[in-house]
Amino acid sequence: MLEPRTGLKEVNFQLVQTIADQQITQDRLNLQLTRLKLMYDFVSALNAAQTVNEIYQIALNGICAALRTPRAAVLSSSANSLRYQESVGIGEDYKQAIEAFFASSMSSVPIKVHPFPHCAVLPSDRTLQAICLQENIGALAIFPLEYERRHIGDIVTYFDTPRQFSEEEVQLTQTIVTYIAIALTRKQAEQALKESQQFIQRIADTTPSILYIYDIEEKRNIYCNQAITHILGYTPTEIQKMGDSLLQTVVHPEDLVSIQEHYESIRHKTLEDLFVHEYRLIDIHGNWKWFYSQETVFLRNADGLVKQTIGSASDITDLKEVETRLQSSLTEKEVLLREVHHRVKNNLSVVDSLLWMQARYVKDEEALKSLTDSQRRIHTMSLIHEQLYHSQDVGKIDFCEYLQRLVVNLYSSTSFNTNQIELKLDIHPTLLNIDMAISMGLIVNEVITNAFKHAFPNHKGLVEVILYEGGDDHLDQQHLHLIIKDNGIGIPHHINFQETASLGLRLVRILAQQLRGEIELSCVLGTSFHFSFPNK
């Protein structure tokens, strides 16, 4: 009878043991579930926090619950200072004493990143120990907040007596600290991004030009700053609500096609160039305003085509009005200037006629010759003003065309015929201002007239006129070259060109000096004058 009872006791004992083990396992599972729920609530609270201070409060509540202590603090540190960001259960006098201690140059305790602690003890520095004992702190543990190798700060927990943390407490605390570091990093990044966006937005809204982003594919505005309200009267929201009808709504009909072609050309650009164009937009009151835009690529599609551009549009309406007034004024001045040239030409013609009438009563050959020479010089200047009167550019004259007319007129005024004197012109197109053209015209008049008078006593020969820009290779554009030569008898050896009393040759020297030109005279085969003038 004893054996069955003994076996029954053993079975009962094993059953009780099994039930106890199951209960322990169940309790552990319940504890783990409770901690998981607490951790889930803790992480959810961290993620829902709106500010860094809220994260600090949640972090302190979580760390205090995990380590069963009512006192903790969040600290930040730099090279030579330590600062309490948030705390619970710690007096202000204690915090000020700790901050003053680390700010003091007498502190021998370096501020550094601590390893993750497995126990709570008093600091080794006697001054710190005294400060802690005054606050009834018997031990403390410093948990570093680190994320991606960046030290964010520290969490310090305070205890009445030194204590060792269990492995479970260490793991739980490490998890809590990690989540706190992640939440702080994310929130700090969000705040930095928000501050950066606010900074950029303030810059954009205070910029006097319209800043915008235009989507070429969707043909609508994505963004514009507040300047559009000041300039055109529309709000950014109203512009965006126009959608793909934006261009047809605000762009001048005469500029619409060019705007559309502008964006179509940008769409296929491969380089990040700066694109500029001018156009007119209508404001909220129905007034048209001119704008000058500069754009560049903002976003491309996966296939490389330009999707969006970012640009700046400046109101140039006032500049356009000034330009219109200046153009109108310039047109009026050109008309007046042409009239001036026309009147000068007429006045010179009157003087020419008076000299011709005076010549009819002059019997002296030398005096008559002087009058005739003066008439030619007046006619030379008259041609300049006549050509400027008919020219498109009243500031410049086509000296090539003028020279042809001048030489032909001088040739036709002589008693030679085409069988006696051959005239050869090699003249390149050249634009000159009126002062230089008149001086060079007078030089040509004197030299060619002198050749016609003295070079061909036998009435047979050749006169050449050559005009070009550049050096001998015609590449140097800094000088203008004029060559007048003949194959006549040449200047007699006893006549010194530099000291001759001849009015014509003296006039040639004076005019060349006024133009800062150089003269090369050759009498080897006839006479050759080579003038070189700085090309202004």
Side-chain angles (χ1 to χ4, degrees), residues 24-128:
I24 292 172
T25 303
Q26 184 66 37
D27 291 342
R28 287 179 177 175
L29 288 174
N30 289 336
L31 180 61
Q32 289 179 354
L33 287 174
T34 301
R35 286 179 174 173
L36 284 174
K37 184 178 183 306
L38 291 174
M39 186 59 66
Y40 174 79
D41 293 339
F42 176 73
V43 173
S44 298
L46 287 177
N47 292 334
Q50 298 297 314
T51 65
V52 172
N53 286 335
E54 287 185 27
I55 294 178
Y56 290 155
Q57 290 287 350
I58 295 168
L60 293 177
N61 293 336
I63 203 78
C64 288
L67 297 179
R68 301 184 301 281
T69 179
R71 296 182 290 181
V74 179
L75 287 77
S76 64
S77 60
S78 60
N80 58 354
S81 66
L82 182 144
R83 183 168 179 265
Y84 280 81
Q85 298 294 339
E86 194 67 51
S87 65
V88 58
I90 300 297
E92 288 297 324
D93 292 341
Y94 171 79
K95 291 189 290 186
Q96 291 176 5
I98 293 294
E99 290 178 354
F101 172 81
F102 283 100
S104 172
S105 60
M106 301 300 293
S107 172
S108 60
V109 180
I111 297 177
K112 62 181 181 179
V113 179
H114 300 272
F116 196 90
H118 288 71
C119 63
V121 296
L122 274 177
S124 58
D125 185 86
R126 292 186 179 275
T127 304
L128 287 177

Side-chain angles (χ1 to χ4, degrees), residues 187-205 223:
K187 186 56 64 177
Q188 289 171 355
E190 288 177 359
Q191 288 185 346
L193 178 60
K194 184 178 180 180
E195 291 174 359
S196 176
Q197 289 175 337
Q198 290 176 344
F199 176 71
I200 294 173
Q201 188 62 48
R202 284 195 293 269
I203 292 177
D205 288 338
Y223 165 83

Side-chain angles (χ1 to χ4, degrees), residues 139-164:
L140 58 83
I142 302 175
F143 300 92
L145 295 171
E146 294 180 328
Y147 183 69
E148 293 183 347
R149 299 181 178 180
R150 188 170 70 91
H151 184 246
I152 303 170
D154 298 285
I155 290 183
V156 182
T157 55
Y158 304 92
F159 304 90
D160 295 337
T161 59
R163 58 168 291 188
Q164 186 80 23

